[in-house]
Amino acid sequence: DAGVIQSPRHEVTEMGQEVTLRCKPISGHDYLFWYRQTMMRGLELLIYFNNNVPIDDSGMPEDRFSAKMPNASFSTLKIQPSEPRDSAVYFCASSARETQYFGPGTRLLVL
Amino acid sequence: GEDVEQSLFLSVREGDSSVINCTYTDSSSTYLYWYKQEPGAGLQLLTYIFSNMDMKQDQRLTVLLNKKDKHLSLRIADTQTGDSAIYFCAERSKGGGNKLTFGTGTQLKVEL
């Protein structure tokens, strides 16, 4: 298996623009997680899905952030409008049973 | 809520053993994990242990779990420069779905 796939790997955008991050989980995994990592706040869980249904979105920082999982093989995290403080590395992870596997991350820089 | 704590930094000489420690608060933890993150990369699952075990060995890695003290450690034998990375401890609570709570990470620096 190719592992968790994320795109783009790097994104540079200007404040106010919409940003869409994409994730393809490992085939057969029924959980999908979105995390954000910064130097100041470390690794934060934003939202997670089970069988394509959002289970806990309490980590989503504000209404500017939204996530969808239209099917078992695809999820998006959207930021609209983006702000400089959203600059971070965003990770997607998927799991089945007890193990969780991370993608390589998307490095987002909002100018 | 659940909390996982780690020391921030550890420096060892190449060839020595490294021991990275972690404490957690949730007594209902079912699994505990160690992840490794190299610069610019995602988190790589190294190993994990079920909460009813007290030790797990996997090649150069040894995980020790003291459930009474809620203490987890990762020992890396014969540490190499390629082991330099950030190591994250994480726990999964009973009833928490597959959600993990991560520590802040320990930066391991291996010196020649």
PDB file of all heavy atoms in Angstrom, chain A residues 27-47:
ATOM      1  N   SER A  27      -6.255   2.278   2.174  1.00  0.00           N
ATOM      2  CA  SER A  27      -7.433   1.505   1.809  1.00  0.00           C
ATOM      3  C   SER A  27      -7.825   0.543   2.930  1.00  0.00           C
ATOM      4  O   SER A  27      -6.970  -0.164   3.495  1.00  0.00           O
ATOM      5  CB  SER A  27      -7.135   0.709   0.530  1.00  0.00           C
ATOM      6  OG  SER A  27      -8.226  -0.104   0.175  1.00  0.00           O
ATOM      7  N   GLY A  28      -9.113   0.557   3.257  1.00  0.00           N
ATOM      8  CA  GLY A  28      -9.609  -0.338   4.301  1.00  0.00           C
ATOM      9  C   GLY A  28      -9.644   0.274   5.690  1.00  0.00           C
ATOM     10  O   GLY A  28     -10.239  -0.305   6.599  1.00  0.00           O
ATOM     11  N   HIS A  29      -8.994   1.432   5.851  1.00  0.00           N
ATOM     12  CA  HIS A  29      -9.035   2.100   7.154  1.00  0.00           C
ATOM     13  C   HIS A  29     -10.362   2.841   7.303  1.00  0.00           C
ATOM     14  O   HIS A  29     -10.812   3.520   6.383  1.00  0.00           O
ATOM     15  CB  HIS A  29      -7.872   3.083   7.281  1.00  0.00           C
ATOM     16  CG  HIS A  29      -6.584   2.399   7.577  1.00  0.00           C
ATOM     17  ND1 HIS A  29      -5.460   3.092   7.965  1.00  0.00           N
ATOM     18  CD2 HIS A  29      -6.223   1.085   7.547  1.00  0.00           C
ATOM     19  CE1 HIS A  29      -4.463   2.245   8.180  1.00  0.00           C
ATOM     20  NE2 HIS A  29      -4.914   1.018   7.922  1.00  0.00           N
ATOM     21  N   ASP A  30     -10.964   2.720   8.498  1.00  0.00           N
ATOM     22  CA  ASP A  30     -12.276   3.328   8.696  1.00  0.00           C
ATOM     23  C   ASP A  30     -12.248   4.592   9.544  1.00  0.00           C
ATOM     24  O   ASP A  30     -13.290   5.188   9.788  1.00  0.00           O
ATOM     25  CB  ASP A  30     -13.258   2.303   9.286  1.00  0.00           C
ATOM     26  CG  ASP A  30     -12.745   1.660  10.565  1.00  0.00           C
ATOM     27  OD1 ASP A  30     -11.563   1.899  10.931  1.00  0.00           O
ATOM     28  OD2 ASP A  30     -13.510   0.918  11.198  1.00  0.00           O
ATOM     29  N   TYR A  31     -11.051   4.972  10.024  1.00  0.00           N
ATOM     30  CA  TYR A  31     -10.920   6.224  10.759  1.00  0.00           C
ATOM     31  C   TYR A  31      -9.979   7.152   9.989  1.00  0.00           C
ATOM     32  O   TYR A  31      -8.943   6.710   9.470  1.00  0.00           O
ATOM     33  CB  TYR A  31     -10.322   6.007  12.150  1.00  0.00           C
ATOM     34  CG  TYR A  31     -11.302   5.500  13.187  1.00  0.00           C
ATOM     35  CD1 TYR A  31     -11.565   4.136  13.310  1.00  0.00           C
ATOM     36  CD2 TYR A  31     -11.945   6.378  14.050  1.00  0.00           C
ATOM     37  CE1 TYR A  31     -12.453   3.665  14.263  1.00  0.00           C
ATOM     38  CE2 TYR A  31     -12.831   5.918  15.015  1.00  0.00           C
ATOM     39  CZ  TYR A  31     -13.080   4.557  15.116  1.00  0.00           C
ATOM     40  OH  TYR A  31     -13.953   4.098  16.068  1.00  0.00           O
ATOM     41  N   LEU A  32     -10.327   8.449   9.984  1.00  0.00           N
ATOM     42  CA  LEU A  32      -9.456   9.437   9.371  1.00  0.00           C
ATOM     43  C   LEU A  32      -9.356  10.640  10.304  1.00  0.00           C
ATOM     44  O   LEU A  32     -10.364  11.089  10.859  1.00  0.00           O
ATOM     45  CB  LEU A  32      -9.986   9.871   7.992  1.00  0.00           C
ATOM     46  CG  LEU A  32      -9.076  10.844   7.231  1.00  0.00           C
ATOM     47  CD1 LEU A  32      -9.019  10.498   5.752  1.00  0.00           C
ATOM     48  CD2 LEU A  32      -9.483  12.283   7.435  1.00  0.00           C
ATOM     49  N   PHE A  33      -8.126  11.137  10.474  1.00  0.00           N
ATOM     50  CA  PHE A  33      -7.846  12.220  11.415  1.00  0.00           C
ATOM     51  C   PHE A  33      -7.144  13.362  10.687  1.00  0.00           C
ATOM     52  O   PHE A  33      -6.301  13.121   9.825  1.00  0.00           O
ATOM     53  CB  PHE A  33      -6.911  11.726  12.529  1.00  0.00           C
ATOM     54  CG  PHE A  33      -7.416  10.519  13.280  1.00  0.00           C
ATOM     55  CD1 PHE A  33      -7.255   9.254  12.749  1.00  0.00           C
ATOM     56  CD2 PHE A  33      -8.047  10.665  14.495  1.00  0.00           C
ATOM     57  CE1 PHE A  33      -7.716   8.129  13.426  1.00  0.00           C
ATOM     58  CE2 PHE A  33      -8.508   9.549  15.196  1.00  0.00           C
ATOM     59  CZ  PHE A  33      -8.344   8.282  14.662  1.00  0.00           C
ATOM     60  N   TRP A  34      -7.474  14.579  11.079  1.00  0.00           N
ATOM     61  CA  TRP A  34      -6.731  15.758  10.645  1.00  0.00           C
ATOM     62  C   TRP A  34      -6.072  16.399  11.861  1.00  0.00           C
ATOM     63  O   TRP A  34      -6.734  16.665  12.868  1.00  0.00           O
ATOM     64  CB  TRP A  34      -7.648  16.784   9.977  1.00  0.00           C
ATOM     65  CG  TRP A  34      -8.036  16.458   8.576  1.00  0.00           C
ATOM     66  CD1 TRP A  34      -9.210  15.928   8.144  1.00  0.00           C
ATOM     67  CD2 TRP A  34      -7.255  16.676   7.398  1.00  0.00           C
ATOM     68  NE1 TRP A  34      -9.213  15.784   6.777  1.00  0.00           N
ATOM     69  CE2 TRP A  34      -8.006  16.240   6.289  1.00  0.00           C
ATOM     70  CE3 TRP A  34      -5.967  17.187   7.164  1.00  0.00           C
ATOM     71  CZ2 TRP A  34      -7.548  16.308   4.980  1.00  0.00           C
ATOM     72  CZ3 TRP A  34      -5.502  17.251   5.866  1.00  0.00           C
ATOM     73  CH2 TRP A  34      -6.289  16.818   4.783  1.00  0.00           C
ATOM     74  N   TYR A  35      -4.742  16.657  11.755  1.00  0.00           N
ATOM     75  CA  TYR A  35      -3.961  17.279  12.805  1.00  0.00           C
ATOM     76  C   TYR A  35      -3.286  18.531  12.253  1.00  0.00           C
ATOM     77  O   TYR A  35      -3.045  18.660  11.063  1.00  0.00           O
ATOM     78  CB  TYR A  35      -2.837  16.351  13.290  1.00  0.00           C
ATOM     79  CG  TYR A  35      -3.243  15.103  14.012  1.00  0.00           C
ATOM     80  CD1 TYR A  35      -3.506  13.930  13.307  1.00  0.00           C
ATOM     81  CD2 TYR A  35      -3.318  15.073  15.397  1.00  0.00           C
ATOM     82  CE1 TYR A  35      -3.845  12.763  13.971  1.00  0.00           C
ATOM     83  CE2 TYR A  35      -3.652  13.898  16.078  1.00  0.00           C
ATOM     84  CZ  TYR A  35      -3.911  12.752  15.352  1.00  0.00           C
ATOM     85  OH  TYR A  35      -4.239  11.600  16.015  1.00  0.00           O
ATOM     86  N   ARG A  36      -2.933  19.397  13.183  1.00  0.00           N
ATOM     87  CA  ARG A  36      -2.133  20.564  12.839  1.00  0.00           C
ATOM     88  C   ARG A  36      -0.926  20.588  13.787  1.00  0.00           C
ATOM     89  O   ARG A  36      -1.085  20.353  14.992  1.00  0.00           O
ATOM     90  CB  ARG A  36      -2.965  21.840  13.001  1.00  0.00           C
ATOM     91  CG  ARG A  36      -2.214  23.120  12.737  1.00  0.00           C
ATOM     92  CD  ARG A  36      -3.144  24.321  12.729  1.00  0.00           C
ATOM     93  NE  ARG A  36      -3.687  24.648  14.039  1.00  0.00           N
ATOM     94  CZ  ARG A  36      -4.444  25.709  14.280  1.00  0.00           C
ATOM     95  NH1 ARG A  36      -4.756  26.527  13.296  1.00  0.00           N
ATOM     96  NH2 ARG A  36      -4.900  25.949  15.493  1.00  0.00           N
ATOM     97  N   GLN A  37       0.245  20.896  13.234  1.00  0.00           N
ATOM     98  CA  GLN A  37       1.456  20.952  14.054  1.00  0.00           C
ATOM     99  C   GLN A  37       2.128  22.301  13.905  1.00  0.00           C
ATOM    100  O   GLN A  37       2.432  22.736  12.791  1.00  0.00           O
ATOM    101  CB  GLN A  37       2.434  19.839  13.661  1.00  0.00           C
ATOM    102  CG  GLN A  37       3.651  19.735  14.583  1.00  0.00           C
ATOM    103  CD  GLN A  37       4.581  18.607  14.212  1.00  0.00           C
ATOM    104  OE1 GLN A  37       4.835  18.353  13.040  1.00  0.00           O
ATOM    105  NE2 GLN A  37       5.095  17.898  15.207  1.00  0.00           N
ATOM    106  N   THR A  38       2.380  22.972  15.028  1.00  0.00           N
ATOM    107  CA  THR A  38       3.125  24.221  15.063  1.00  0.00           C
ATOM    108  C   THR A  38       4.141  24.144  16.186  1.00  0.00           C
ATOM    109  O   THR A  38       4.011  23.316  17.104  1.00  0.00           O
ATOM    110  CB  THR A  38       2.214  25.437  15.302  1.00  0.00           C
ATOM    111  OG1 THR A  38       1.572  25.261  16.581  1.00  0.00           O
ATOM    112  CG2 THR A  38       1.154  25.573  14.234  1.00  0.00           C
ATOM    113  N   MET A  39       5.136  25.006  16.117  1.00  0.00           N
ATOM    114  CA  MET A  39       6.144  25.042  17.182  1.00  0.00           C
ATOM    115  C   MET A  39       5.498  25.436  18.505  1.00  0.00           C
ATOM    116  O   MET A  39       5.831  24.904  19.557  1.00  0.00           O
ATOM    117  CB  MET A  39       7.245  26.033  16.821  1.00  0.00           C
ATOM    118  CG  MET A  39       8.146  25.569  15.700  1.00  0.00           C
ATOM    119  SD  MET A  39       9.151  24.168  16.178  1.00  0.00           S
ATOM    120  CE  MET A  39      10.253  24.967  17.334  1.00  0.00           C
ATOM    121  N   MET A  40       4.583  26.386  18.433  1.00  0.00           N
ATOM    122  CA  MET A  40       4.009  26.933  19.666  1.00  0.00           C
ATOM    123  C   MET A  40       3.032  25.973  20.334  1.00  0.00           C
ATOM    124  O   MET A  40       3.014  25.849  21.554  1.00  0.00           O
ATOM    125  CB  MET A  40       3.292  28.252  19.360  1.00  0.00           C
ATOM    126  CG  MET A  40       4.225  29.375  18.989  1.00  0.00           C
ATOM    127  SD  MET A  40       5.335  29.812  20.342  1.00  0.00           S
ATOM    128  CE  MET A  40       4.158  30.419  21.545  1.00  0.00           C
ATOM    129  N   ARG A  41       2.195  25.295  19.549  1.00  0.00           N
ATOM    130  CA  ARG A  41       1.110  24.505  20.109  1.00  0.00           C
ATOM    131  C   ARG A  41       1.306  23.008  19.963  1.00  0.00           C
ATOM    132  O   ARG A  41       0.480  22.224  20.448  1.00  0.00           O
ATOM    133  CB  ARG A  41      -0.204  24.928  19.466  1.00  0.00           C
ATOM    134  CG  ARG A  41      -0.554  26.399  19.684  1.00  0.00           C
ATOM    135  CD  ARG A  41      -1.802  26.771  18.902  1.00  0.00           C
ATOM    136  NE  ARG A  41      -2.972  26.122  19.469  1.00  0.00           N
ATOM    137  CZ  ARG A  41      -3.753  26.671  20.413  1.00  0.00           C
ATOM    138  NH1 ARG A  41      -3.457  27.859  20.897  1.00  0.00           N
ATOM    139  NH2 ARG A  41      -4.803  26.026  20.864  1.00  0.00           N
ATOM    140  N   GLY A  42       2.388  22.603  19.290  1.00  0.00           N
ATOM    141  CA  GLY A  42       2.642  21.172  19.125  1.00  0.00           C
ATOM    142  C   GLY A  42       1.650  20.545  18.161  1.00  0.00           C
ATOM    143  O   GLY A  42       1.189  21.188  17.217  1.00  0.00           O
ATOM    144  N   LEU A  43       1.300  19.303  18.418  1.00  0.00           N
ATOM    145  CA  LEU A  43       0.408  18.535  17.550  1.00  0.00           C
ATOM    146  C   LEU A  43      -1.009  18.613  18.108  1.00  0.00           C
ATOM    147  O   LEU A  43      -1.267  18.211  19.239  1.00  0.00           O
ATOM    148  CB  LEU A  43       0.895  17.085  17.509  1.00  0.00           C
ATOM    149  CG  LEU A  43       0.310  16.156  16.460  1.00  0.00           C
ATOM    150  CD1 LEU A  43       0.704  16.609  15.065  1.00  0.00           C
ATOM    151  CD2 LEU A  43       0.810  14.734  16.704  1.00  0.00           C
ATOM    152  N   GLU A  44      -1.923  19.122  17.299  1.00  0.00           N
ATOM    153  CA  GLU A  44      -3.314  19.299  17.735  1.00  0.00           C
ATOM    154  C   GLU A  44      -4.241  18.481  16.831  1.00  0.00           C
ATOM    155  O   GLU A  44      -4.141  18.566  15.608  1.00  0.00           O
ATOM    156  CB  GLU A  44      -3.739  20.762  17.594  1.00  0.00           C
ATOM    157  CG  GLU A  44      -2.924  21.776  18.344  1.00  0.00           C
ATOM    158  CD  GLU A  44      -3.383  23.179  17.984  1.00  0.00           C
ATOM    159  OE1 GLU A  44      -2.888  23.718  16.967  1.00  0.00           O
ATOM    160  OE2 GLU A  44      -4.234  23.730  18.692  1.00  0.00           O
ATOM    161  N   LEU A  45      -5.155  17.755  17.429  1.00  0.00           N
ATOM    162  CA  LEU A  45      -6.178  17.055  16.662  1.00  0.00           C
ATOM    163  C   LEU A  45      -7.282  18.040  16.309  1.00  0.00           C
ATOM    164  O   LEU A  45      -7.863  18.679  17.185  1.00  0.00           O
ATOM    165  CB  LEU A  45      -6.755  15.892  17.471  1.00  0.00           C
ATOM    166  CG  LEU A  45      -7.915  15.134  16.828  1.00  0.00           C
ATOM    167  CD1 LEU A  45      -7.472  14.424  15.558  1.00  0.00           C
ATOM    168  CD2 LEU A  45      -8.510  14.135  17.811  1.00  0.00           C
ATOM    169  N   LEU A  46      -7.575  18.163  15.024  1.00  0.00           N
ATOM    170  CA  LEU A  46      -8.602  19.102  14.586  1.00  0.00           C
ATOM    171  C   LEU A  46      -9.969  18.433  14.519  1.00  0.00           C
ATOM    172  O   LEU A  46     -10.954  18.933  15.048  1.00  0.00           O
ATOM    173  CB  LEU A  46      -8.238  19.674  13.216  1.00  0.00           C
ATOM    174  CG  LEU A  46      -6.922  20.433  13.129  1.00  0.00           C
ATOM    175  CD1 LEU A  46      -6.667  20.895  11.700  1.00  0.00           C
ATOM    176  CD2 LEU A  46      -6.896  21.613  14.084  1.00  0.00           C
ATOM    177  N   ILE A  47     -10.032  17.298  13.837  1.00  0.00           N
ATOM    178  CA  ILE A  47     -11.289  16.596  13.613  1.00  0.00           C
ATOM    179  C   ILE A  47     -10.975  15.153  13.257  1.00  0.00           C
ATOM    180  O   ILE A  47      -9.891  14.874  12.726  1.00  0.00           O
ATOM    181  CB  ILE A  47     -12.103  17.277  12.477  1.00  0.00           C
ATOM    182  CG1 ILE A  47     -13.481  16.630  12.292  1.00  0.00           C
ATOM    183  CG2 ILE A  47     -11.317  17.273  11.164  1.00  0.00           C
ATOM    184  CD1 ILE A  47     -14.397  17.404  11.340  1.00  0.00           C
TER     185      ILE A  47
END
